[in-house]
Amino acid sequence: MVTLDLVSILSLLMIVTSLAVFGWRNIKQAAYIYVIQTMLLITIFAVLAQKYNAPELMSWAIIGFFLKVILVPYILIKLIRKLNIIIEEEPVEGFFVSPIIAIAFSLATAMMLYPILKEFSLLKEDIPLIASITVFMIGIFGLILRKNIIKQIMAFCLFENGSHLTLALMAYKSPEIVDVGILTDAIFAVIIMSILAMRYYKYFGSLDVTKASNLKG
């Protein structure tokens, strides 16, 4: 029987905030919603650390707070202010349909993969595992359906959060260097994508990735 405890509630809120980041048209506001989601993730780590007496997860929470709650949002918000982009371009399938597509297929994928992944999970948490897969998939659909580069960077951050939660549930006893490596790779990816976004905007005067179709070989 699935129980709705604190971790489950926080996990469900991660799905809600993922969908908000995905669909919110105001890019700066979407970035702040991403901060809220990352705080939810860090809180889940801390609660699980107490629940299962897992100091490894508390270390993940502390490291994640500084890198994911502070550093990554700082990079994103600085990029948004520098480019002065407020509203994103209309995504593939439009503003109304694209979130429906994302959440429907993400939940369907989560329900399909959840029984398999649960067999290999160290922590048998039903709703958090479903949420982790759902958040991961919403991030994937964000990369596919959103045209704005900054929103695509946020989508990358979403599926990174989803994969981070999945790893915590399945293999939290991994060496801390694994967690640090994942976070470091994510930060470098955000930095590189931000640099590319600035150069793209300088060349095209827009962050709409479809403008790149104007390039001729």
Side-chain angles (χ1 to χ4, degrees):
M1 181 178 178
V2 177
T3 57
L4 201 61
D5 57 3
L6 177 58
V7 174
S8 297
I9 293 171
L10 293 171
S11 300
L12 291 173
L13 288 174
M14 279 194 68
I15 296 177
V16 173
T17 50
S18 291
L19 194 59
V21 171
F22 177 95
W24 212 269
R25 294 188 63 186
N26 187 298
I27 297 176
K28 188 175 182 180
Q29 291 175 1
Y32 285 120
I33 296 172
Y34 166 74
V35 175
I36 294 173
Q37 188 206 69
T38 308
M39 280 298 301
L40 291 171
L41 177 64
I42 298 305
T43 305
I44 289 173
F45 288 167
V47 174
L48 288 175
Q50 294 294 323
K51 182 177 180 179
Y52 291 97
N53 191 26
E56 300 91 343
L57 286 174
M58 188 60 71
S59 298
W60 287 29
I62 295 170
I63 296 171
F65 177 81
F66 288 104
L67 297 183
K68 302 185 77 163
V69 177
I70 297 177
L71 184 55
V72 170
Y74 171 78
I75 295 170
L76 285 173
I77 293 171
K78 185 176 181 180
L79 175 64
I80 294 167
R81 288 175 176 171
K82 185 176 182 64
L83 299 181
N84 194 29
I85 301 295
I86 300 175
I87 303 297
E88 73 165 309
E89 296 80 3
E90 184 173 353
V92 178
E93 302 299 337
F95 286 108
F96 178 73
V97 176
S98 59
I100 296 176
I101 293 173
I103 190 63
F105 280 94
S106 297
L107 284 173
T109 303
M111 296 309 296
M112 180 177 63
L113 295 178
Y114 150 73
I116 301 172
L117 295 182
K118 185 179 179 181
E119 292 296 320
F120 300 96
S121 296
L122 292 177
L123 306 181
K124 306 298 183 181
E125 295 281 348
D126 298 296
I127 292 178
L129 185 56
I130 294 172
S132 70
I133 304 168
T134 304
V135 172
F136 178 89
M137 291 305 303
I138 290 175
I140 295 293
F141 279 102
L143 287 172
I144 297 171
L145 298 176
R146 310 314 276 197
K147 297 179 181 178
N148 184 280
I149 295 177
I150 297 179
K151 289 302 288 286
Q152 290 187 343
I153 296 174
M154 291 184 195
F156 168 81
C157 293
L158 290 181
F159 81 69
E160 197 278 330
N161 276 356
S163 62
H164 205 179
L165 180 55
T166 303
L167 181 64
L169 296 170
M170 297 186 66
Y172 72 90
K173 292 185 178 180
S174 301
E176 287 186 16
I177 190 65
V178 174
D179 182 53
V180 173
I182 292 173
L183 290 173
T184 303
D185 287 346
I187 291 169
F188 276 116
V190 170
I191 292 173
I192 291 170
M193 287 188 288
S194 297
I195 294 171
L196 292 175
M198 288 188 288
R199 293 188 176 182
Y200 187 95
Y201 185 79
K202 183 178 180 180
Y203 186 86
F204 291 103
S206 170
L207 290 177
D208 185 347
V209 295
T210 61
K211 299 290 184 181
S213 62
N214 294 330
L215 291 174
K216 302 297 181 180

